[in-house]
Amino acid sequence: MVKITLPDNSTKEFDNEITALDVAQSISSGLARNVLAAEVNGIIQDANMLITSDSTVKLFTWMDDEGKAAFWHSSAHLMAEAIEFFFPGAKFGIGPNIENGFYYDIDFGDRVLSENDFKKIEEKMLATARQKQQFTRKNVTKAEAIEYFSKKGDEYKLELLADLEDVDITFYESGNFVDLCRGPHIPHTGFIKAIKLLNVAGAYWRGDEKRKQLTRIYGVSFPKQKELTEYLELLEEAKKRDHRKLGKELELFTFSQKVGLGLPLWLPKGTDLKDRLTQFLTKVLKKRGYEMVSSMHIGNVNLYKLSGHYDKYGEDSFHPISTPIEGEEFMLKPMNCPHHCEIYNSKPHSYKDLPVRMAEFGTVYRYEQSGELHGLTRVRGFTQDDAHIFCRPEQVKKEFIAIIDLVQYIYKILGFKEFVTQISLRDKENRDKYIGSDENWEKAEKAIIEASEERGLKSKIEYGEAAFYGPKLDFMVKDALGRKWQLGTIQVDYNLRERFNLEYAGNDNLKHRPVMIHRTIFGSLERFIAVLIEHSAGNFPLWLTPEQAIILPISEKYHNYSKKVLNLLNDYEIRTQVDERSEKTGRKIRDAELQKIPFMLIVGEKEENENAVSVRQHGKGDLGTFSIEDFAKLVNKEVEEMIKE
RNA sequence: GCCGAUGUAGCUCAGUGGUAGAGCACUUCCUUGGUAAGGAAGGGGUCACGAGUUCAACUCUCGUCAUUGGCUCCA
């Protein structure tokens, strides 16, 4: 007799040994047809594994992340089998499932695999899938496993084996492919109905750039063709929203080989957008007790040696430049914090002055590897929306909460409704990697956790992800396509206050060290604007967009009236232009729509007579006739609504 | 930096071992038109760059640079 407890706490009893599939069958045959994997007493395993004693069972289908994981993991095996068929002797590294699909790292020896090979591999995979091959699990000893892969000549699997204990080593066999694998796998390959191999890439064996580079093949698979189609449509949509494409089309920024890699050139409209963003943020920050400061683009190399950044990141910075006569060395500023420390040190501080909140839109330069550069999201020169807060230890939590509120407010205004947070703490095992006393760390970690809880954030806690100088809280926004982007970060720092001898006089009249908090909301303006472009598909919020409206005269006869409208709207601080080209109205509308300008104001005889404009909204169509003043009020009211706290 | 792919007009892209193409954009002219492309003519390219093979290279080979998908890195 086996007693099975299900997640809803109901129980079922069976006479014999059973599998999770049998459990599913006892509930409904529909469920049984869809079960991909199961969790038995907390362990995720194959749905067809025998259950011999009373157990708690959870069943996973395609609707569950665990089900998808098994599905994609099995798809990776299926791909490996097909690849082994076409490329006998290929050696296999690892082939896991990932967030959206799977990959397999493979050593093809002298052969090269290209995307041209995808089609035949996909077809082979589908043909195999249709055979409903079972994944057979086999317990093997370490010696047996080593013998198998030695014979096969797969040194990667042998290396993986070397790290495994001689217990619970399992092989999975499906068709002609045998793999060292922990599982779980789906019951048979027949579930896999749609497959798409996406791209090939080089990937270092075990992520170590000193080791051999294997060929990584990414793919995705689904139980229904329709889901694959939808997924591919999502990828298409992402392509359409690519900020590099839209940045060009909307004339926001460009790059030039002559200027240099990773050094963006902001065009007039992009500059306008960026400036408006910084102006808005400046206003918000001042309201919240921040003071704006500014520092230069270069700093003495000794400054960064003092801060410790030179030792740690000197390799990733531009080489020092020297003054022509004295030979004094300067570096392009890689971060703002040392400069801000010196601003703090420019006068003595009392505990009464704290916290000091110092903000700067500081442009910094970092040597990013050439292969890393990507549009505006990874560049060599960028502007941080940086701030440093110098406060007393007991103020840390309050400051943290204030920053969390600020970040939330800003994201909301910019149209990001969802974000997730991660708290990065010390590695529990290895505390030597960090500087600062245990006491301070504990205080700071506690403050972060409490602040996060107090604001109802469901932060994921990661141990070992903290910076060497303190714990941090990171913000990741979700964009309109559900993609996550890391933007803001709040970090506590116990390093710089020692190195820069930061102090304040306490109420005991003794010198104390302030706690320093680094924080950014966007990370970098460049990166943020890239994310904003992709999130909004170039349809920026009305308050932020470079051009809010465009005036479209029906013909030359109305150019004078158009200019009158332009001047009036300018008086209302509405950003607009007149399209004076000798084109038909339909054409002007089309071009304005493509430029994603929020409002088109069509003016002709009727409007001139009535002192009005005919308003068409981007993506929506004709809104009817408005007096110029009413239109201005409409825009300004909407803008006000958008940015009010 | 490493592995793969790509590089033809301002943009999007065809194309062939034998004198370089389209659409859009641009210029000029005609047109003055009411809610997503009016018409005509014209200008514009060392086919990324440099070598090699060939009677002949935009095309084939190699190298360089850049772009791109990843890997590694990210104060």
Side-chain angles (χ1 to χ4, degrees), chain A residues 368-642:
Chain A
E368 303 286 356
Q369 298 186 86
S370 61
E372 265 326 309
L373 300 170
H374 180 94
L376 285 183
T377 59
R378 202 71 191 271
V379 283
R380 285 181 174 167
F382 58 94
T383 302
Q384 292 182 312
D385 62 321
D386 206 1
H388 295 97
I389 292 155
F390 303 86
C391 66
R392 306 198 301 267
E394 68 273 18
Q395 292 172 320
V396 170
K397 185 171 148 193
K398 205 177 154 211
E399 289 303 308
F400 243 87
I401 289 177
I403 298 167
I404 292 172
D405 289 347
L406 171 64
V407 169
Q408 269 183 297
Y409 165 65
I410 296 289
Y411 288 173
K412 198 181 110 212
I413 283 195
L414 286 153
F416 293 95
K417 295 189 178 75
E418 263 188 275
F419 66 90
V420 292
T421 48
Q422 177 183 314
I423 295 175
S424 299
L425 304 179
R426 277 184 299 180
D427 188 340
K428 281 178 182 163
E429 313 294 313
N430 194 351
R431 297 223 151 149
D432 302 340
K433 290 197 297 198
Y434 307 96
I435 58 167
S437 70
D438 274 351
E439 196 199 334
N440 280 330
W441 269 86
E442 270 152 35
K443 244 190 255 166
E445 294 188 343
K446 191 161 164 266
I448 292 184
I449 293 167
E450 284 179 8
S452 160
E453 275 172 4
E454 216 159 289
R455 279 304 181 253
L457 304 180
K458 295 191 183 86
S459 302
K460 198 168 89 193
I461 294 183
E462 291 285 335
Y463 292 92
E465 292 290 308
F468 71 96
Y469 51 72
K472 61 178 182 173
L473 174 69
D474 292 327
F475 292 83
M476 275 149 282
V477 297
K478 252 191 184 169
D479 76 6
L481 299 186
R483 298 170 300 176
K484 277 185 226 161
W485 302 83
Q486 212 225 292
L487 296 178
T489 179
I490 317 176
Q491 310 181 349
V492 183
D493 183 339
Y494 295 109
N495 174 38
L496 292 179
R497 62 183 199 170
E498 304 297 335
R499 290 176 176 265
F500 281 90
N501 203 23
L502 305 178
E503 348 185 271
Y504 65 89
N507 60 358
D508 52 7
N509 201 25
L510 294 173
K511 298 284 186 202
H512 297 270
R513 294 258 185 255
V515 179
M516 192 170 168
I517 300 172
H518 306 246
R519 59 107 274 218
T520 69
I521 300 171
F522 297 147
S524 98
L525 292 177
E526 283 73 9
R527 184 176 159 79
F528 179 74
I529 289 173
V531 174
L532 184 63
I533 291 170
E534 304 213 356
H535 174 61
S536 66
N539 299 304
F540 301 113
L542 188 60
W543 65 272
L544 189 59
T545 196
E547 270 179 284
Q548 295 172 312
I550 185 158
I551 301 161
L552 310 180
I554 295 284
S555 80
E556 237 170 75
K557 282 183 249 166
Y558 311 105
H559 282 187
N560 278 336
Y561 176 64
S562 295
K563 277 177 196 134
K564 187 182 150 197
V565 175
L566 178 74
N567 289 334
L568 271 165
L569 291 178
N570 282 343
D571 289 344
Y572 281 102
E573 297 191 348
I574 289 169
R575 304 184 287 281
T576 182
Q577 288 188 54
V578 183
D579 183 350
E580 289 194 338
R581 294 175 305 163
S582 82
E583 294 290 351
K584 287 185 150 180
T585 312
R587 177 51 179 275
K588 291 184 184 178
I589 287 170
R590 180 184 150 80
D591 289 344
E593 288 281 356
L594 290 175
Q595 281 294 304
K596 301 173 191 281
I597 299 170
F599 292 106
M600 286 147 273
L601 308 177
I602 294 139
V603 297
E605 189 181 358
K606 189 171 134 240
E607 289 76 11
E608 181 163 12
N609 290 337
E610 294 172 17
N611 225 5
V613 291
S614 186
V615 180
R616 180 190 164 103
Q617 190 170 9
H618 168 69
K620 294 222 172 86
D622 199 351
L623 297 188
T625 307
F626 286 67
S627 75
I628 299 166
E629 197 171 54
D630 283 351
F631 172 71
K633 282 180 182 158
L634 171 87
V635 172
N636 285 337
K637 198 176 156 214
E638 198 173 328
V639 165
E640 241 170 72
E641 284 289 315
M642 285 175 126

Side-chain angles (χ1 to χ4, degrees), chain A residues 163-290:
Chain A
D163 293 345
L164 294 179
E165 300 288 328
D166 193 2
V167 282
D168 298 332
I169 293 180
T170 50
F171 276 9
Y172 273 85
E173 187 176 347
S174 57
N176 299 315
F177 185 69
V178 178
D179 205 354
L180 169 70
C181 178
R182 195 188 300 127
H185 281 285
I186 58 179
H188 61 78
T189 56
F191 288 94
I192 302 168
K193 295 265 171 54
I195 298 164
K196 179 83 183 162
L197 302 191
L198 297 168
N199 44 42
V200 277
Y204 300 108
W205 172 234
R206 307 200 114 179
D208 183 346
E209 61 182 313
K210 292 189 185 64
R211 306 202 58 180
K212 181 154 180 170
Q213 196 155 39
L214 308 181
T215 304
R216 176 170 296 178
I217 303 144
Y218 285 91
V220 69
S221 58
F222 296 92
K224 285 185 189 145
Q225 182 62 39
K226 188 169 161 251
E227 289 174 90
L228 173 61
T229 310
E230 280 166 11
Y231 181 74
L232 294 177
E233 278 166 5
L234 188 76
L235 292 185
E236 278 304 305
E237 180 61 26
K239 231 180 192 171
K240 274 189 219 153
R241 289 165 174 251
D242 190 317
H243 75 278
R244 293 165 301 184
K245 180 169 134 59
L246 285 173
K248 194 180 272 174
E249 284 171 12
L250 303 180
E251 296 181 9
L252 299 172
F253 60 88
T254 189
F255 288 90
S256 153
Q257 288 186 31
K258 291 196 182 71
V259 172
L261 295 185
L263 302 171
L265 294 166
W266 286 96
L267 304 174
K269 283 182 194 171
T271 306
D272 187 86
L273 181 78
K274 189 158 69 85
D275 284 353
R276 189 154 310 199
L277 201 56
T278 53
Q279 282 158 19
F280 169 71
L281 210 52
T282 302
K283 209 168 105 193
V284 172
L285 291 179
K286 283 185 176 167
K287 214 164 149 187
R288 292 175 188 239
Y290 285 78

